[in-house]
Amino acid sequence: MKASQLGFILAGVTTPEPPSHYSTFERWLAQGRHGTMDYLATERSRLRRADPREIMPECKSILVLATPYSPPSTGMQANEARVASYAWGADYHDVLPVRMKELVQFIEEQVGSSVRNRWYTDTGPILERDLAQRAGIGWIGKNTCLIHPRHGSYFLLSEILLDLDLEPDAPFITDHCGTCTRCIDACPTDCILTDRTIDATRCISYLTIELKEEIPVELRDKIGNWVFGCDICQMVCPWNRFAEEGDPAFGDDNPAEQLTEELSISAQEFNQRFKGTPVKRAKRRGYLRNVAVALGNTGDMHALPVLQNALNDEEPLLREHAQWAIEKINQHVGATHLDKTGKLHEQS
């Protein structure tokens, strides 16, 4: 199959009917769970998510595709910068559209005529996981990820809207999460809700990527050493024991970058290092904000010199989080030097 040759390990077809979980999406918005992602709540966006035909009136079928990325490393040290595993290599926003275009060309060759189409990968106003479930690719887990019983959840979704009648696949109606609550129990910020949605304002991925300003103080120590995204709820999911090595375009291992070294990179160095990767989206100010928080969470007094130096950076966002990290480390160092009587040891 052409889709498989292009790296799409799963493919399914569904109709352009309104998604069944749209009411859940509306409740989520009404509760403010989307945080600062205001683009999700515009009238135009909501109309399109409620009915794919608002995007493309000629749409007769939707082809849903899944591309795997490698599972995260498990041997990371606390002083190493942790990046979500989908972001280790090339930006999927650049890679997958090229493949979808080639797949559309193949479809047109098979039918002998041009086919009107639109494609998206995490960029369009559609409810991707809802369509993927309806196309038979998997079920929406308690952690809100789409899960396949053989491939787990480490894959990226793409959709092609087609002006072509294709036979739809049977929807995936079985819920294999059962009574398992590992993802809920493991989430450091308690962002996973009981209705299979998440409170984005508490999610580490949101805090380190989507949020552009200060990270709430009460959540900073829960971020650990994640500097871009988070994989925790997927790492503990039993279904990901079946996950295999992903598409080589997206990398196969988390670069073991030292947090102290990351904090000193210039704007030019940041742009050069992360050009063509998802991390570029955070921009230097957001990325180094995250690194400063991660350094504070190490409790390592050896990080103090680079944090002190960051206080002179021209970026106010970095300076504020560096100051928090310094205070956090000082508190940790002080606590670890208390003797049994509660008195602070003299340090040499």
Side-chain angles (χ1 to χ4, degrees), residues 214-226 259 263 288-300 303-304 307-308 310-311 316-333:
E214 296 86 359
I215 296 174
V217 174
E218 67 273 16
L219 295 176
R220 294 179 189 179
D221 61 354
K222 301 179 185 300
I223 290 176
N225 61 338
W226 292 97
L259 288 166
L263 197 63
L288 295 191
R289 171 201 64 183
N290 302 339
V291 172
V293 170
L295 276 170
N297 289 331
T298 67
D300 186 358
L304 290 174
L307 287 166
Q308 291 283 358
L311 296 179
L317 189 68
L318 173 55
R319 297 199 301 268
E320 193 274 326
H321 288 74
Q323 182 61 51
W324 175 87
I326 290 169
E327 294 171 3
K328 176 80 172 177
I329 292 174
N330 284 332
Q331 291 171 4
H332 175 78
V333 172

Side-chain angles (χ1 to χ4, degrees), residues 247-262:
D247 192 301
F250 308 119
D252 58 7
D253 198 10
N254 192 117
E257 303 290 352
Q258 297 293 310
L259 288 166
T260 51
E261 296 176 4
E262 292 296 279

Side-chain angles (χ1 to χ4, degrees), residues 152-171:
S153 63
Y154 291 114
F155 50 77
L156 304 160
L157 292 175
S158 307
E159 304 77 34
I160 305 178
L161 281 65
L162 296 164
D163 179 16
L164 185 67
D165 278 312
L166 297 175
E167 182 177 354
D169 288 288

Side-chain angles (χ1 to χ4, degrees), residues 17 21 25 42 73 81 89 95 105 111 113 122 136 140 143 159 170 185 189 194 200 255 265-266 274 291 298 316:
E17 300 302 316
H21 293 93
F25 175 69
T42 66
S73 306
V95 174
Q105 291 173 341
V111 300
S113 63
D122 190 36
I140 299 175
N143 62 358
E159 304 77 34
D185 299 337
T189 60
T194 56
I265 63 174
S266 66
F274 296 113
V291 172
T298 67

